């Protein structure tokens, strides 16, 4: 397989050093360590042949950085603790473990450990990915083609740590893309090149040893098995929506069966997400729950999930949504990224007849909005309000929904994908803007939340004031967003026994 011009691979294995000619030994090399096969293979290569990869023989110029999401599989942690950390200690390689300090960027990054004698991989930090998802009542999602959870809990933490560690000095950043991921590596390089241009200096230079060595995934796994004596499993968060990619379906389900408590937690997270939004299961509209009920081999997992639902505190959530009309191409063209003086054609596309009869003027379309000029509006941004109107056990929550449905003439309907029952009192329409509203029972823990302007807009569209149920608490008062004001703060943790204290 020939490599793109971006990379300078050897013509044959062993024919040339793995380090491309454009790279000499750097001041510091930072390996982003994800605990999986690819980055573990690179670490093994660095330990065995440091000078081949532009490192000092004593590895004093290597820093291994691990971003702790808080939801890694226990067997991945165990593998690294038993087989990898002893080698790092013997070679006195510096390992830095970092995590988000809280839900806001202003909470900064916490350094859980920074040592040349690391004893264990931390399982979690102050703010886990699962904490964020449970508070929002959702599962990990893609946004505009970006893995937002990886950006928030890995990339952002690594960038903040590097900025504090290196300041204006450049470093070499190593990522474990293998030969089958050249496209991902090229994208990563382009992004870093752009960041370097924006900074007016070389912040860091990306480096991909597995690609330079011509190693694909199979070769990586074979190397790790030979180097460390045991096969390594893929590293990913238990609720990862790419679990079908991170491992085969069979391997993923086997892992869930080996950890029924974790499986039940993930299923309960997905259950809450589907309760609040029928369309948001772990795999889009396809659910993990649906997959695990096919066949009988996952019965123990499903039983653990059923028991966890029975004992979990429950709530009734009143979920209201406003679906706005999307901005049109004309609006984006003439009003730019922010429309402050909307016209009718900002939300309704002009018909072909309108375009012929009322051509664009000097500044923008001038049609006043005849019926024959107005096209259909398309679905745009959605606003969601979640209010807790009941808290108690599961039976009490279900009885509350039934009583409210009878009292207010609500329509009891089961979701097309989830099969979950909801009491609807406003149905989503076909034209936009439109609204929907319903009551649904699910495990407690989702934070009440809505935009400051939601109530005003909801009333204007529906004529209804407030919720049908009585919220159990007031909405939290809006707090001014805490600005980072430069680099995010870094805090150091101190571990005494099994207790981690933050400075």
């Amino acid at each position: 397989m020939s490599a793109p011009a971006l990379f300078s691979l050897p013509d044959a294995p062993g024919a040339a050093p793995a380090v491309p000619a454009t790279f000499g030994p750097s001041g510091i090399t930072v390996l982003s360590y994800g605990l999986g096969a690819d980055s573990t293979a690179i670490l093994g290569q660095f330990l065995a042949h440091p000078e081949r990869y532009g490192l000092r023989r004593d590895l004093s110029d290597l820093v291994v950085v691990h971003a702790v999401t808080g939801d890694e599989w226990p067997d991945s942690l165990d593998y690294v603790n038993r087989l990898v950390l002893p080698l790092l200690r013997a070679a006195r390689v510096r390992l830095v473990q970092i995590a988000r300090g809280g839900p806001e960027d202003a909470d900064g990054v916490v350094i859980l450990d920074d040592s040349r004698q690391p004893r264990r991989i931390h399982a979690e930090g102050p703010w886990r990915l699962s904490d964020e998802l449970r508070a929002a009542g959702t599962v990990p999602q893609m946004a505009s083609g970006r893995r937002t959870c990886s950006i928030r809990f890995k990339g952002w933490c690594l960038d903040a740590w590097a900025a504090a560690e290196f300041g204006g000095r450049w470093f070499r950043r190593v990522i474990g893309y293998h030969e089958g991921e050249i496209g991902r590596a090229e994208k990563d390089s382009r992004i870093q090149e752009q960041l370097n241009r924006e900074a007016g200096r070389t912040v860091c230079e990306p480096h991909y040893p597995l690609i330079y060595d011509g190693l694909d995934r199979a070769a990586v796994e074979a190397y790790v098995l030979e180097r460390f004596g045991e096969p390594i499993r893929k590293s990913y968060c238990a609720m990862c929506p790419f679990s079908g990619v991170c491992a085969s379906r069979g391997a993923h389900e086997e892992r869930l069966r080996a950890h029924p408590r974790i499986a039940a937690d993930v299923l309960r997270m997905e259950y809450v997400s589907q309760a609040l939004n029928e369309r948001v299961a772990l795999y889009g509209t396809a659910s993990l729950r649906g997959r695990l009920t096919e066949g009988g081999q996952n019965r123990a997992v499903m039983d653990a999930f059923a028991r966890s639902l029975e004992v979990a505190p429950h709530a009734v959530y009143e979920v209201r949504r406003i679906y706005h009309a999307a901005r049109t191409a004309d609006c984006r063209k003439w009003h730019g990224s922010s429309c402050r003086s909307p016209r009718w054609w900002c939300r309704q596309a002009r018909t072909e007849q309108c375009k012929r009869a009322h051509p664009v003027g000097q500044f923008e379309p001038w049609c006043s909005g005849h019926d024959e000029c107005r096209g259909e509006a398309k679905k745009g941004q959605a606003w969601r309000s979640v209010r807790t109107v009941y808290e108690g056990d599961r039976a009490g929550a279900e009885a509350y929904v039934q009583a409210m449905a009878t009292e207010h003439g609500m329509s009891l309907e089961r979701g097309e994908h989830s099969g979950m029952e909801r009491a609807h009192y406003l149905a989503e329409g076909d034209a936009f803007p439109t609204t929907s509203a319903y009551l649904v029972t699910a495990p407690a823990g989702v934070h009440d939340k809505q935009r400051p302007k939601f109530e005003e807009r909801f009333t204007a569209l529906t004529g209804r004031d407030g919720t049908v149920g009585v919220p159990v608490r007031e909405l939290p008062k809006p707090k001014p967003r805490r600005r980072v004001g430069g680099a995010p703060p870094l805090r150091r943790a101190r571990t005494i026994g099994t207790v981690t204290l933050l400075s």
Side-chain angles (χ1 to χ4, degrees), residues 328 342-351 354 366-370 373-375:
T328 64
R343 310 288 192 270
W344 70 265
W345 42 263
C346 289
R347 300 294 178 178
Q348 289 179 277
R350 295 187 299 140
T351 63
C354 181
W366 54 268
C367 176
S368 60
H370 306 292
C373 292
R374 295 174 179 262

Side-chain angles (χ1 to χ4, degrees), residues 116-131:
R116 295 187 182 273
Q117 292 292 304
R119 309 309 302 182
R120 67 184 174 96
I121 293 292
H122 283 255
E124 61 184 60
W127 184 249
R128 302 173 299 174
L129 172 59
S130 55
D131 294 330

Side-chain angles (χ1 to χ4, degrees), residues 158-172:
L158 292 166
D159 289 345
W161 172 84
E165 177 77 11
F166 298 108
R169 295 174 295 145
W170 74 274
F171 62 97
R172 183 170 63 171

Side-chain angles (χ1 to χ4, degrees), residues 71 129-143 146-150 152-153 237-243 263-289 321 384 446:
D71 294 285
L129 172 59
S130 55
D131 294 330
E132 187 152 300
L133 296 171
R134 290 191 182 96
T138 191
V139 291
Q141 299 170 48
M142 292 281 284
R146 304 184 336 147
R147 302 185 187 192
T148 53
C149 54
S150 292
R152 280 180 55 76
F153 283 81
C237 292
M239 76 292 291
C240 181
F242 299 98
S243 52
D265 286 347
V266 175
L267 285 165
R268 194 166 59 250
M269 178 185 293
E270 179 187 61
Y271 186 91
V272 174
S273 177
Q274 281 194 287
L276 301 186
N277 190 333
E278 177 71 15
R279 303 180 183 96
V280 183
L282 200 62
Y283 309 114
T285 56
S287 67
L288 175 64
R289 181 161 53 110
R321 284 187 176 83
R384 186 180 80 172
V446 178

Side-chain angles (χ1 to χ4, degrees), residues 391-441:
E391 290 178 329
D393 60 18
R394 186 178 187 183
E398 291 173 346
Y400 178 92
V401 172
Q402 292 286 338
M404 291 291 285
T406 300
E407 180 181 349
H408 295 278
M410 298 181 183
S411 171
L412 289 172
E413 300 176 15
R414 292 196 175 275
E416 176 186 358
H417 306 290
S418 69
M420 299 172 68
E421 188 175 68
R422 300 174 180 82
H424 293 262
Y425 64 90
L426 282 176
E428 179 182 335
D430 295 328
F432 300 100
T434 187
T435 59
S436 69
Y438 56 82
L439 300 178
V440 66
T441 298

Side-chain angles (χ1 to χ4, degrees), residues 315-320 385-391 397 400-401 403-405 407-410 423-426 437-440 448 450 455 458 464-475:
V316 175
Y317 300 105
E318 185 161 351
V319 183
R320 296 176 294 162
S385 165
V386 176
R387 302 299 305 274
T388 305
V389 295
Y390 176 90
E391 290 178 329
Y400 178 92
V401 172
M404 291 291 285
E407 180 181 349
H408 295 278
M410 298 181 183
H424 293 262
Y425 64 90
L426 282 176
Y438 56 82
L439 300 178
V440 66
D448 291 359
Q450 71 182 38
E455 211 65 63
F458 187 79
R464 291 177 173 269
D465 185 16
T467 54
V468 170
V470 179
V472 299
R473 62 184 68 86
E474 294 293 325
L475 276 170

